[in-house]
């Protein structure tokens, strides 16, 4: 089954750490929505290999992300789903997520969103403490964060996922625990907890370099990562991916599809798409995206994946999950020699205490997960 991602590249305010594709100018919002509708029509043959001609393609997940999709008027959100329904089959069993910021989630907005196919909200809380929110240049207040969760649940959204960020210099260990406990106490079924990373060319990178913001310390980040694991597990959340915790049956289907190599189509500027052996990505420039779509051209670059690239991608994504890398799958897709080479490479990490062999899977332990990307890169086919 396939998935669709739709990118809405607008935000009210630039968070200091953010390196996603977005703009705080919403001048192009109306024409961007028209372009998205057009791209949905133009790219409807993307999954053709899996669908007999003429039949709507069943979707497992739809994810509207950004940027800040909750900025869009609900009427535009409905138009996007109407455009999708001309080519794809989805219903209440499909996981349909929309990213939202607390400052957008008024009671009226939530009530209107309930009338759309959206059945899962991903709310960008990041912290319940004002100094953290200010450090990250988030727009909302702690009161709005708490209020939005209560209002979302009162509106009938029981499938919620909330993003938190740790490692912020303003976040003490005690406050980090408070943030987690706040969500646990509310019974939020899924939590994504991200380490604050300082990416180049972000305002945060600039501010730290100029000495105008406190630096992010690796030691604090690692400590707060370690702190949350037993806390979450003791409350029934499975740590099923480096940054993801879910109550039983509440794991993100959309993310699982990414990590298990299912095909997905990305719509909108900067959105990526994938199907076996092939990936493509739209231009990360909203003006150029709108121009190309207006001229009937998909603003995409693409590449056929080599066996080595596919293997590396599988290794990178699978090692981030609690299921790890399936050696039988490696052998079936890339051959016995590749499996043996991988087992040889893995022996070092197993001996180093970061990885375990569980039946025919290589799995990172909680300490190893902290270095998942580096360990995967160390075992790449292409190095
Ligand atoms: S709201 Fe999200 S996408 Fe927008 S600037 Fe903040 S982190 Fe980036």
């Amino acid at each position: 089954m396939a998935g669709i991602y739709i990118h809405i590249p607008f935000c009210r305010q630039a968070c200091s750490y953010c390196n996603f594709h977005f703009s705080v100018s919403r001048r192009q919002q109306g024409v961007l929505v028209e372009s998205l509708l057009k791209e949905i029509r133009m790219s409807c043959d993307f999954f053709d290999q899996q669908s007999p001609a003429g039949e709507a393609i069943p979707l497992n997940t739809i994810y509207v992300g950004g940027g800040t999709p909750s900025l869009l008027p609900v009427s535009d959100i409905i138009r996007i789903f109407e455009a999708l329904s001309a080519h794809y089959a989805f219903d209440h069993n499909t996981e349909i997520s929309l990213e939202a910021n607390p400052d957008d989630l008024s009671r009226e907005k939530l009530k209107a969103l309930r009338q759309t196919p959206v059945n899962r909200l991903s709310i960008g809380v990041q912290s319940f403490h004002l100094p953290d929110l200010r450090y990250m240049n988030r727009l909302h207040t702690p009161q709005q964060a708490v209020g939005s969760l209560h209002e979302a649940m009162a509106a009938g959204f029981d499938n919620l996922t909330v993003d938190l960020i740790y490692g912020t210099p303003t976040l003490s260990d005690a406050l980090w625990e408070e943030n987690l406990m706040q969500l646990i106490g509310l019974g939020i079924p899924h939590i994504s907890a991200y380490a604050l990373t300082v990416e180049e060319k972000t305002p945060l990178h600039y501010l730290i370099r100029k000495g105008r913001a406190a630096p992010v310390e690796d030691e604090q980040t690692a400590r707060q990562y370690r702190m949350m694991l037993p806390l979450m597990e003791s409350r029934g959340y499975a740590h099923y991916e480096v940054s993801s915790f879910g109550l039983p049956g509440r794991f993100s289907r959309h993310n699982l599809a990414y990590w298990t190599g299912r095909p997905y189509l990305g719509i909108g500027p900067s959105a990526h798409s994938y199907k076996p052996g092939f990936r493509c990505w739209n231009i990360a420039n909203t003006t150029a995206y709108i121009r190309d779509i207006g001229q009937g051209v998909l603003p995409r670059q693409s590449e056929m994946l080599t066996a080595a690239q596919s293997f590396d991608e599988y290794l990178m994504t699978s090692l981030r999950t609690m299921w790890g890398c399936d050696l039988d799958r490696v052998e079936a897709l890339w051959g016995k020699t590749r499996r043996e080479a991988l087992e040889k490479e893995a022996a070092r990490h197993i001996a180093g205490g970061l990885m375990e062999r569980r039946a025919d899977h290589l799995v990172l332990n909680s300490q190893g997960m902290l270095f998942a990307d580096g360990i995967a890169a160390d075992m790449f086919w292409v190095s």
Side-chain angles (χ1 to χ4, degrees):
M1 289 252 265
I4 288 200
Y5 172 80
I6 298 188
H7 190 79
I8 309 296
F10 303 107
C11 296
R12 287 190 202 278
Q13 179 167 301
C15 304
S16 64
Y17 56 88
C18 182
N19 70 343
F20 295 133
H21 172 64
F22 74 94
S23 163
V24 290
S25 162
R26 292 164 61 193
R27 201 171 35 85
Q28 300 186 99
Q29 189 171 302
V31 63
L32 184 272
V33 171
E34 299 305 325
S35 304
L36 295 176
L37 302 180
K38 192 165 174 192
E39 191 192 357
I40 289 170
R41 292 194 294 276
M42 287 166 69
S43 59
C44 68
D45 60 354
F46 183 80
F47 297 117
D48 258 358
Q49 287 164 321
Q50 305 165 40
S51 162
E55 276 182 31
I57 297 152
L59 294 179
N60 187 34
T61 66
I62 302 173
Y63 193 98
V64 188
T68 312
S70 54
L71 277 180
L72 289 185
V74 172
S75 55
D76 280 344
I77 294 170
I78 290 172
R79 290 174 74 211
I80 289 170
F81 286 111
E82 282 171 355
L84 289 173
S85 66
H87 308 283
Y88 304 100
F90 54 91
D91 58 23
H92 62 279
N93 291 314
T94 310
E95 181 185 274
I96 305 179
S97 309
L98 180 114
E99 286 181 353
N101 276 341
D103 37 298
D104 289 327
L105 293 180
S106 64
R107 187 170 298 177
E108 296 67 39
K109 181 93 180 200
L110 283 158
K111 212 169 142 199
L113 279 173
R114 282 291 290 161
Q115 306 310 312
T116 73
V118 173
N119 53 30
R120 182 172 182 266
L121 286 180
S122 171
I123 304 180
V125 166
Q126 318 310 354
S127 176
F128 293 102
H129 299 284
L130 195 58
D132 303 332
L133 295 170
R134 292 293 167 263
Y135 180 89
M136 294 186 270
N137 203 36
R138 298 287 301 181
L139 188 58
H140 63 268
T141 62
Q143 293 73 21
Q144 282 173 310
V146 177
S148 69
L149 299 180
H150 284 289
E151 290 291 355
M153 289 187 285
F157 282 105
D158 58 354
N159 201 359
L160 294 180
T161 176
V162 173
D163 289 353
L164 289 179
I165 289 181
Y166 59 94
T168 319
T170 42
L171 181 72
S172 67
D173 292 353
L175 291 179
W176 175 226
E177 187 171 335
E178 261 183 40
N179 278 346
L180 292 167
M181 288 308 296
Q182 177 99 26
L183 297 183
I184 293 168
L186 287 169
I188 303 297
H190 188 278
I191 298 170
S192 294
Y194 298 105
L196 181 64
T197 50
V198 184
E199 306 285 353
E200 287 207 14
K201 297 189 184 149
T202 57
L204 185 58
H205 185 256
Y206 172 82
L207 291 170
I208 291 175
R209 205 158 39 88
K210 293 283 173 196
R212 286 164 50 194
V216 175
E217 303 291 350
D218 290 348
E219 198 188 312
Q220 178 195 340
T221 304
R223 190 177 64 245
Q224 293 184 344
Y225 168 82
R226 287 193 202 99
M227 266 178 68
M228 82 178 143
L229 305 183
L231 177 69
M232 298 302 288
E233 275 166 25
S234 71
R235 303 299 173 130
Y237 291 81
H239 181 209
Y240 71 99
E241 191 267 347
V242 173
S243 312
S244 309
F245 298 82
L247 292 176
R250 309 303 285 272
F251 299 174
S252 160
R253 273 194 253 159
H254 181 77
N255 288 347
L256 284 176
Y258 280 153
W259 301 324
T260 51
R262 298 258 188 91
Y264 58 87
L265 168 65
I267 301 282
S270 81
H272 286 233
S273 308
Y274 167 83
K275 54 189 172 183
F278 175 85
R279 69 177 157 218
C280 62
W281 54 96
N282 283 348
I283 191 165
N285 178 315
T286 300
T287 304
Y289 169 84
I290 290 169
R291 181 200 60 215
D292 286 4
I293 294 286
Q295 293 169 355
V297 177
L298 286 171
R300 276 185 193 159
Q301 282 185 283
S302 62
E303 66 179 347
M304 300 303 293
L305 295 174
T306 63
Q309 284 172 313
S310 301
F311 169 81
D312 290 351
E313 201 150 306
Y314 172 66
L315 190 63
M316 179 78 110
T317 50
S318 63
L319 282 181
R320 292 177 64 88
T321 71
M322 70 178 190
W323 302 278
C325 172
D326 180 350
L327 290 165
D328 289 342
R329 180 170 175 177
V330 169
E331 185 171 334
L333 291 175
W334 297 285
K336 201 164 175 9
T337 313
R338 174 72 349 230
R339 175 188 178 135
E340 286 167 358
L342 178 61
E343 285 180 296
K344 205 166 147 206
E345 296 274 351
R348 235 169 344 114
H349 297 293
I350 293 171
L354 297 176
M355 185 181 270
E356 289 166 21
R357 172 89 185 239
R358 289 190 205 146
D360 283 319
H361 286 72
L362 296 172
V363 184
L364 291 176
N365 58 25
S366 53
Q367 178 64 11
M369 272 212 193
L370 198 49
F371 309 105
D373 293 350
I375 293 172
D378 190 52
M379 301 195 297
F380 275 175
W381 188 336
V382 186
S383 53

